[in-house]
Amino acid sequence: IVMQANLCPGDIVLISSDCHKSIPYGIVLTGASVIFLQTNAVEKYDLYGAISLSQIKDKMRDLEKANLLGKLKQIILTNSTFDGALYDVESYMLEILAIKADVIFHWDEAWCAHTHFHPLYERRHAMSVAQKLKNRFSSSEYLIEYKQSKNKTRLPDPQKVKVRAYATQSTHKTLSSFRQGSMIHICDELFNTEIFLDAFYTHTSTSPNYQILASLDVARRQMGLEGYAMVQKSIELSSWLKLNISTNKKVSKFFKILNVYDLFPDEEIKKESSGKSEFEIFEDILDFQQSGMRLDPSRVTLDVSKTGLSGSHFRKLLINRYNIQVNKTSRHTVLFIINIGASRKSVKYLYDTLANLADYLHGVRKNNNVSNINQEASLAMPQKRRYDEKYLPYFSLCPEIIDMRSAYFDAYESANIEHVEINSSVLKMAANGKTWTSAAFVTPYPPGFPLLVPGQMIDYKILVYIASIIDDEIHGFHKEVGLKIFKG
């Protein structure tokens, strides 16, 4: 709905590569062209997600040099990432609007509908920041500030700036609504009601499920009355879990809580945070209002590699033996979301389970004189995308802009496509420089965002990555026939 309401054929969109696959599908329908932004990658833990502000600004400057900045219509970022990384939304919007004053922000907040209801998150979700900036830009004080400032890299022109922000939330993921209950939040100074409603009616049923709608009203009412207390409780329970895991010597021997410095390894930040006691577990909360990426304190990303189990195997163990549901894993981690429905009893049960597993593993290692547990090697997800020149509308000016729509519909003609299996002979050809052009979206789970899009080149690194996860869930790939590619 948001794509169709805001984009036209020929527009350019910046999107983070960790966006849900519905985002590029929506762009295909509109006919806009895309630049995929390379996500932060922590190969040690096989975690991916979040885009640096400097990368976005660099892409915008590249477009400006190519005289294409005027075609940039929208920027789409996933906030929070699945692992709970929250953007410094205020800083991002300020500095981006200073380059292009009317760009539309689409913040995909599928996993953080709770952030509106606690002041801790004030500068880290779309609607709070958008309203704050809207008020600030229209004030006489800001006009004076802008005129007097010598450095305007973080100050949009008050005569030109238009705050245009959209947030899409899967309400059911973090609040109390039925499955598929979702909301679109809008703060758009150039909002076109007619176009938006037309897009809305295009993609929604004329016979809506009133139970789902009623559950959304219940969720709003519940959070309006007691949202702060419920979010505060989830943060406290999450902090309790992190502290107990980190300070129990036996448990912490096998399980490690990842913090913002693990996901965003910055040497200067590491120096600042060194030498802290067990209370470093709270530093994400204590400096949450500072600039830069931070982790949602209600999330717990647990490194389980020292157990000898992969994240997916550990997940199966928790589900099948202990009836503990884990939503997301990576090769080395599992993610626990301590949401507003969590209780002290359920979080204590989770901790006791981890403690019991640590006791068992300690005994196995001691009795069998095992000093090291074999750990599954990390895999580097290919991130630098290359495309078939046929689908690059601005190849000479900016070879990163891809027209996925043309590639997507070219694949509708069966005469245009074939399949390539992933075997030793194909890998050998790829190692010698052979490439193929993808005719489909290919999305591995995890991490759950497209590795390949229509029109993208398939090379050796991509084939090796897919071959290594071939038994996992991969949307758009069938092991029996291989990858869908264009002939020639």
Side-chain angles (χ1 to χ4, degrees):
I1 294 169
V2 174
M3 298 300 117
Q4 185 171 325
N6 291 325
L7 300 176
C8 299
D11 287 339
I12 295 174
V13 189
L14 300 183
I15 75 170
S16 58
S17 288
D18 65 336
C19 276
H20 187 271
K21 67 178 186 177
S22 62
I23 299 290
Y25 274 100
I27 293 172
V28 163
L29 293 177
T30 68
S33 297
V34 175
I35 294 179
F36 283 95
L37 301 168
Q38 187 170 311
T39 64
N40 173 62
V42 187
E43 293 176 6
K44 179 180 179 181
Y45 300 112
D46 287 298
L47 297 175
Y48 299 85
I51 309 296
S52 68
L53 178 57
S54 60
Q55 182 186 169
I56 297 173
K57 292 169 68 176
D58 287 344
K59 299 299 181 191
M60 294 178 73
R61 291 190 184 103
D62 289 342
L63 290 173
E64 190 172 27
K65 291 175 184 176
N67 292 318
L68 293 172
L69 186 61
K71 288 183 173 291
L72 176 62
K73 191 71 171 292
Q74 187 164 302
I75 297 174
I76 308 169
L77 300 171
T78 304
N79 189 44
S80 74
T81 68
F82 213 156
D83 295 288
L86 286 164
Y87 284 86
D88 182 354
V89 174
E90 187 170 338
S91 292
Y92 273 63
M93 290 184 67
L94 270 173
E95 297 195 32
I96 290 170
L97 288 170
I99 299 174
K100 191 172 193 299
D102 62 347
V103 71
I104 301 170
F105 293 88
H106 176 189
W107 295 95
D108 184 5
E109 297 180 341
W111 287 92
C112 63
H114 61 290
T115 53
H116 174 75
F117 302 96
H118 198 290
L120 184 68
Y121 299 97
E122 184 181 6
R123 66 179 290 153
R124 299 191 180 276
H125 69 97
M127 291 300 103
S128 174
V129 171
Q131 192 59 53
K132 178 181 178 181
L133 292 182
K134 182 180 174 182
N135 294 336
R136 180 183 174 189
F137 295 152
S138 62
S139 68
S140 56
E141 291 83 2
Y142 179 76
L143 180 60
I144 296 171
E145 179 186 2
Y146 179 80
K147 288 181 176 179
Q148 293 179 347
S149 175
K150 295 181 179 180
N151 180 9
K152 294 182 171 58
T153 56
R154 298 187 75 250
L155 294 176
D157 186 340
Q159 302 297 323
K160 298 179 181 179
V161 67
K162 298 294 180 184
V163 175
R164 310 193 66 189
Y166 291 73
T168 47
Q169 296 179 349
S170 299
T171 312
H172 66 93
K173 286 186 170 76
T174 58
L175 303 184
S176 303
S177 80
F178 288 160
R179 187 80 171 168
Q180 301 306 315
S182 305
M183 295 188 188
I184 301 172
H185 302 277
I186 304 167
C187 181
D188 184 353
E189 292 187 272
L190 299 179
F191 183 67
N192 187 310
T193 304
E194 182 181 358
I195 292 176
F196 182 85
L197 288 178
D198 194 48
F200 182 84
Y201 294 139
T202 300
H203 296 283
T204 53
S205 171
T206 54
S207 302
N209 185 310
Y210 287 106
Q211 292 94 325
I212 294 177
L213 292 176
S215 76
L216 289 172
D217 279 336
V218 170
R220 289 195 306 168
R221 183 68 167 170
Q222 180 187 43
M223 297 307 287
L225 291 173
E226 51 185 339
Y228 169 79
M230 298 185 82
V231 176
Q232 178 66 21
K233 184 190 75 170
S234 70
I235 293 172
E236 290 173 357
L237 290 175
S238 176
S239 299
W240 179 90
L241 178 64
K242 293 174 189 176
L243 184 61
N244 278 272
I245 291 173
S246 300
T247 55
N248 184 309
K249 291 183 179 180
K250 191 176 288 185
V251 176
S252 61
K253 188 175 183 179
F254 296 98
F255 303 108
K256 177 188 174 183
I257 302 292
L258 301 188
N259 59 30
V260 68
Y261 312 112
D262 294 313
L263 269 64
F264 301 94
D266 183 301
E267 289 304 316
E268 292 184 8
I269 295 179
K270 279 185 176 180
K271 289 175 184 176
E272 292 174 10
S273 65
S274 61
K276 293 183 184 292
S277 68
E278 69 267 17
F279 291 102
E280 69 178 359
I281 206 69
F282 297 115
E283 61 188 9
D284 282 343
I285 298 177
L286 295 174
D287 67 356
F288 204 72
Q289 293 302 325
Q290 301 301 312
S291 61
M293 290 286 181
R294 289 296 182 268
L295 296 185
D296 188 335
S298 68
R299 308 290 175 89
V300 181
T301 300
L302 194 68
D303 177 11
V304 300
S305 58
K306 290 184 180 179
T307 66
L309 297 174
S310 68
S312 60
H313 285 105
F314 194 79
R315 174 180 181 267
K316 291 176 183 176
L317 173 67
L318 291 180
I319 292 174
N320 296 331
R321 185 171 296 184
Y322 299 99
N323 199 30
I324 295 174
Q325 177 65 44
V326 175
N327 200 300
K328 187 261 181 185
T329 67
S330 74
R331 192 165 288 258
H332 297 310
T333 69
V334 296
L335 174 71
F336 301 122
I337 301 177
I338 314 300
N339 58 32
I340 63 170
S343 65
R344 295 186 184 279
K345 182 179 179 181
S346 63
V347 175
K348 178 68 162 54
Y349 174 66
L350 171 58
Y351 172 73
D352 289 342
T353 299
L354 296 175
N356 290 336
L357 287 171
D359 281 335
Y360 171 75
L361 290 168
H362 180 76
V364 168
R365 180 176 291 190
K366 183 178 180 180
N367 295 333
N368 293 282
N369 195 28
V370 177
S371 57
N372 292 304
I373 296 177
N374 291 328
Q375 297 179 26
E376 209 170 352
S378 295
L379 288 172
M381 172 177 278
Q383 291 212 74
K384 186 67 174 177
R385 298 177 189 262
R386 295 186 299 127
Y387 309 103
D388 190 321
E389 292 182 19
K390 180 180 179 182
Y391 302 112
L392 299 178
Y394 305 101
F395 176 69
S396 61
L397 297 173
C398 186
E400 295 180 90
I401 303 173
I402 179 174
D403 172 15
M404 289 189 299
R405 181 186 178 91
S406 296
Y408 181 86
F409 286 109
D410 279 352
Y412 274 34
E413 295 293 333
S414 57
N416 292 339
I417 63 169
E418 58 188 354
H419 291 81
V420 59
E421 294 186 52
I422 301 179
N423 52 40
S424 57
S425 62
V426 168
L427 287 170
K428 186 175 181 180
M429 286 190 288
N432 291 325
K434 171 71 174 175
T435 59
W436 299 263
T437 302
S438 176
F441 288 98
V442 177
T443 308
Y445 279 81
F449 51 83
L451 173 66
L452 289 170
V453 301
Q456 184 178 337
M457 303 303 295
I458 303 169
D459 57 18
Y460 178 72
K461 286 185 177 181
I462 290 173
L463 290 176
V464 168
Y465 184 84
I466 294 176
S468 66
I469 60 171
I470 209 164
D471 292 323
D472 294 342
E473 180 183 358
I474 307 177
H475 295 190
F477 171 77
H478 301 284
K479 187 163 46 175
E480 299 77 15
V481 295
L483 292 165
K484 186 178 179 181
I485 60 169
F486 288 107
K487 287 182 178 180

